[in-house]
Amino acid sequence: QVPLVESGGGLVQAGGSLRLSCGASRRTFSSASMAWFRQAPGKEREFVARITWNGGSTYYADSVKGRFTISRDNAKSTVYLEMNSLKPEDTAVYYCATAPSPSTSPRMYSYWGQGTQVTVSS
């Protein structure tokens, strides 16, 4: 398996910012597409953002476009999610995942982290 470890979640007021990180093993990280998903209580897991293996292409859910930025550092085997202008509806457990090719469907992602909680207070 490819262990993925998320960090950076926490409690923040509406309008604030957080930066999530996801570290992976070097062996497969550099050639994998990476994505962030989130899951709020009682809701299905939803796509947030994804980035291709070389960082050349990114794609965002409409709900986060213009507020969130996904990036990656292949030298550090780490993918990031910079979240600005946070809203209470962004509250969820955020997961990073890896797949051979870019996709917005969670079914295409084989490896997942354990998740990190993001809570935005109003």
Side-chain angles (χ1 to χ4, degrees):
Q1 281 192 332
V2 178
L4 301 174
V5 180
E6 302 99 334
S7 61
L11 174 63
V12 64
Q13 288 189 333
S17 299
L18 282 174
R19 187 194 197 201
L20 305 183
S21 300
C22 172
S25 64
R26 182 179 297 275
R27 186 169 65 89
T28 58
F29 179 85
S30 61
S31 63
S33 290
M34 300 294 297
W36 288 95
F37 291 81
R38 66 186 181 186
Q39 188 165 19
K43 295 187 177 182
E44 293 187 353
R45 190 167 297 188
E46 66 171 353
F47 168 80
V48 175
R50 63 114 175 112
I51 187 167
T52 51
W53 70 274
N54 62 354
S57 174
T58 59
Y59 186 77
Y60 299 90
D62 287 343
S63 58
V64 306
K65 199 173 297 182
R67 300 188 297 123
F68 291 11
T69 302
I70 188 171
S71 61
R72 65 190 293 162
D73 185 337
N74 284 355
K76 296 181 179 179
S77 299
T78 301
V79 63
Y80 305 98
L81 185 68
E82 185 76 34
M83 305 185 296
N84 298 314
S85 302
L86 282 162
K87 305 175 182 179
E89 50 264 44
D90 294 319
T91 295
V93 177
Y94 283 71
Y95 300 89
C96 68
T98 179
S101 57
S103 174
T104 61
S105 170
R107 293 189 298 274
M108 299 302 294
Y109 289 81
S110 301
Y111 301 106
W112 295 80
Q114 81 289 350
T116 185
Q117 176 70 47
V118 172
T119 302
V120 184
S121 63
S122 57

